[in-house]
Amino acid sequence: GFAGQCHLDGFVARTIGELESDFISAKVGINIVNADSMKERSFVPALHAFLDTIRERKPTTPLLLVSPIACPTVEDHVGPTVHAGHYVGVLDGAAELRPGSLTLRRIRELVADVAAKRRASGDANLHHLDGLALFGEADVADLPDGLHPNAAGYARIGERFAELAFGAGGAFAQAGERHLDQRLGI
């Protein structure tokens, strides 16, 4: 985590690609909406470039691309977000002044589409997980500031991620079993 600074930077992709890893997960999108740092036009190629950079170094490592968890403030409203006391809000403004700005709902669609296209083009080790499966609308009571989960929310995300990523049929299920077998000398 980069304290709200995850914006598909190339150096991060290079670093991920250079680290020894049995599997990789990347949750992308919320910081881009919060900062309104990319428009739809730049987000899609930036995500492809980020994945390309990782794949140049880790062509077959299982990679799980995760879209954002629920955040009611920006589900259907574009960023940027602002801190208003102990709560995160958005700036009001005419939507026509921000063409191409992204909402979380749109980011999720784009992430799913990029993952599907890359899998269809032959990257069988790239997987997608909708962040709402980790933390959805039913969980938002555990967002005390409207953006960040509390301890119970983070614990639930971790439990769900473990099951969805490493459980039967999960993106890392087979790689996790091989990794564990190697660690145990089996």
Side-chain angles (χ1 to χ4, degrees), residues 33 72-80 90-93 98 102-104:
V33 172
T73 304
V74 286
E75 283 298 322
D76 295 303
H77 194 292
V78 300
V90 290
L91 298 174
D92 285 328
R98 297 205 212 105
L102 294 159
T103 65
L104 284 191

Side-chain angles (χ1 to χ4, degrees), residues 41-181:
R41 161 64 186 84
S42 56
F43 174 74
V44 172
L47 180 54
H48 276 292
F50 189 85
L51 295 171
D52 289 345
T53 301
I54 293 172
R55 283 303 191 217
E56 288 169 3
R57 292 155 175 84
K58 301 282 187 204
T60 60
T61 301
L63 193 160
L64 181 58
L65 188 58
V66 184
S67 64
I69 65 170
C71 179
T73 304
V74 286
E75 283 298 322
D76 295 303
H77 194 292
V78 300
T81 57
V82 293
H83 291 276
H86 296 290
Y87 198 79
V88 173
V90 290
L91 298 174
D92 285 328
E96 57 273 7
L97 298 178
R98 297 205 212 105
S101 289
L102 294 159
T103 65
L104 284 191
R105 192 171 314 280
R106 185 62 180 144
I107 285 269
R108 285 190 204 96
E109 292 169 355
L110 295 170
V111 169
D113 187 54
V114 166
K117 286 179 179 171
R118 292 183 72 94
R119 283 186 62 82
S121 69
D123 190 348
N125 288 315
L126 177 72
H127 306 274
H128 171 256
L129 176 60
D130 185 334
L132 294 176
L134 298 174
F135 191 94
E137 286 183 34
D139 302 304
V140 299
D142 284 327
L143 295 174
D145 67 353
L147 175 63
H148 302 96
N150 59 21
Y154 279 121
R156 191 173 318 112
I157 290 168
E159 290 165 2
R160 290 174 180 168
F161 182 85
E163 178 59 34
L164 293 168
F166 292 97
F172 302 150
Q174 290 180 346
E177 290 170 12
R178 284 193 307 274
H179 179 72
L180 184 58
D181 289 350

